[in-house]
């Protein structure tokens, strides 16, 4: 079995107590190996989903009968949009634990597999009533997404309308719920209302889990320029800065030369003003020189049938 490198700072002790208890059914050395791989899955899943997926497969080969391992494998597959695989792992974990916590994710996998109708069936299943508040909000988000998948924008908007959406209190799900509502309104052509809800999402988004601020700025016509981005000419930030400094120096030099030239002209004019009248044309030329200095600045189907279906798709 091919193992993946584990950083020295990863001990396996970082896992939750619940997971550690599950791993106690394994021999000590094996449990430590599995724990380290699970830590790597959690560490990489946001920034490097593909890397997290690799570690999840190692953990799965080591301890496929541990529910926490199947769940981690499901999350890693889900993060890589491997929805059939994720669905199979989530179902396996649910059979092992008997809990319904993964129900919304299973429904969203159905969406990912192009079966929004099945996701809606799961949204109306008895399992939803067993979910905690966070799970019910998540299920509402999945159901609204399924409605949008089916082109039912108005129904998606109605689905998201709930006491949780209307509440002024900020909960872990508030930003995502407000964002989804604003996005649905915008898709329905109700940009004014969408802007209002994107602004509310920004207020609740304390950890930057959404791009609500960018969406709000886009609606307001604001464009952000990142100085660290490459320019349209392919120049990096240092080159751009050097060019800007060089341009400033050149401009300052030109302005200094022009001021010196003007001083010389003034002296010449004083020497000859008693003998020579400066004509109007010269005045116009001098004015032009001065001007030149200016800078322009669902009820779910039988799980075993669905398992077969998921394996068939893989």
């Amino acid at each position: 079995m091919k193992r993946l490198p584990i950083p020295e700072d990863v001990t396996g002790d970082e896992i939750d107590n619940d997971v550690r208890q599950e791993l106690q059914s394994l021999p000590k050395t094996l449990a430590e190996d599995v724990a380290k791989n699970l830590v790597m899955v959690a560490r990489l899943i946001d920034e490097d989903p593909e890397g997290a997926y690799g570690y999840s497969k190692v953990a799965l080969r080591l301890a496929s009968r541990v529910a926490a391992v199947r769940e981690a494998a499901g999350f890693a597959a889900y993060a890589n949009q491997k929805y059939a695989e994720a669905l199979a792992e989530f179902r396996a974990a649910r059979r092992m634990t008997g809990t319904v916590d993964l129900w919304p994710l299973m429904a969203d996998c159905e969406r990912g597999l192009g079966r929004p109708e099945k996701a809606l069936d799961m949204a109306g299943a008895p399992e939803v009533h067993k979910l905690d508040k966070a799970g019910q909000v998540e299920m509402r988000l999945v159901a609204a997404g399924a409605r949008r998948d089916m082109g039912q924008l108005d129904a998606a908007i109605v689905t998201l309308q709930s006491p949780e959406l209307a509440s002024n209190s900020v909960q872990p799900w508030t930003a995502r719920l407000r964002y989804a509502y604003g996005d649905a309104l915008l898709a329905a052509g109700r940009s004014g209302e969408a802007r209002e809800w994107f602004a509310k999402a920004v207020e609740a988004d304390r950890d930057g889990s959404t791009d609500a601020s960018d969406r709000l700025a886009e609606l307001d016509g604001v464009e952000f320029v990142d100085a660290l981005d490459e320019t349209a000419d392919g120049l990096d930030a240092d080159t751009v800065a050097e060019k800007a400094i060089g341009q400033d120096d050149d401009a300052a030099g030109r302005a200094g030369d022009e001021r010196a030239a003007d001083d010389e002209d003034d002296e010449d004019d004083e020497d000859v003003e008693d003998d020579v009248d400066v004509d109007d044309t010269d005045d116009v030329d001098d004015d032009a020189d001065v001007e030149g200095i200016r800078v322009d600045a669902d009820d779910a189907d039988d799980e075993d049938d669905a398992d077969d279906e998921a394996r068939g798709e893989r």
Side-chain angles (χ1 to χ4, degrees), residues 247-287:
Q247 290 171 354
D248 289 343
D249 290 342
D250 291 343
R254 287 194 300 270
D257 292 341
E258 290 171 350
R259 284 194 296 271
D262 287 343
D263 291 340
E264 292 177 1
D265 290 342
D266 291 340
E267 291 176 0
D268 292 341
D269 289 343
E270 291 175 359
D271 292 338
V272 300
E273 70 178 349
D274 293 336
D275 300 318
V276 181
D277 291 333
V278 180
D279 60 25
D280 294 338
T281 302
D282 291 334
D283 291 338
V284 173
D285 291 339
D286 289 340
D287 289 341

Side-chain angles (χ1 to χ4, degrees), residues 36-190:
K36 290 178 181 178
N37 280 280
L38 292 180
V39 171
M40 292 306 297
V41 173
R43 176 178 290 189
L44 297 176
I45 196 163
D46 291 329
E47 301 298 329
D48 182 13
E50 188 174 351
Y53 179 75
Y55 284 100
S56 75
K57 298 300 286 187
V58 174
L60 194 59
R61 288 194 295 269
L62 292 173
S64 62
R65 296 188 178 183
V66 176
V69 171
R70 303 302 291 266
E71 183 174 328
F75 276 109
Y78 181 85
N80 284 273
Q81 300 182 4
K82 298 177 182 293
Y83 296 117
E85 185 176 339
L87 183 58
E89 297 300 338
F90 287 148
R91 284 175 171 168
R94 179 171 178 262
R95 281 196 298 269
M96 293 176 179
T97 63
T99 65
V100 297
D101 295 347
L102 296 171
W103 194 256
L105 282 167
M106 291 165 59
D108 205 38
C109 285
E110 295 288 359
R111 283 187 60 212
L113 292 170
R115 300 193 291 253
E117 297 89 351
K118 181 63 179 294
L120 284 177
D121 288 342
M122 294 180 69
E127 284 80 355
V128 175
H129 300 293
K130 301 176 183 179
L131 294 169
D132 59 14
K133 181 63 67 176
Q136 291 178 0
V137 171
E138 192 66 33
M139 192 71 248
R140 189 178 294 276
L141 288 168
V142 173
R147 292 291 185 187
R148 292 190 61 173
D149 293 343
M150 299 167 66
Q152 301 174 2
L153 290 176
D154 290 339
I157 291 171
V158 172
T159 299
L160 293 169
Q161 293 172 348
S162 60
E164 294 78 19
L165 179 67
S167 175
N168 290 324
S169 65
V170 176
Q171 303 294 334
W173 60 78
T174 302
R176 292 179 58 238
L177 183 59
R178 292 176 179 180
Y179 181 94
Y181 191 59
D183 194 44
L185 289 168
L186 187 61
R190 297 160 61 176

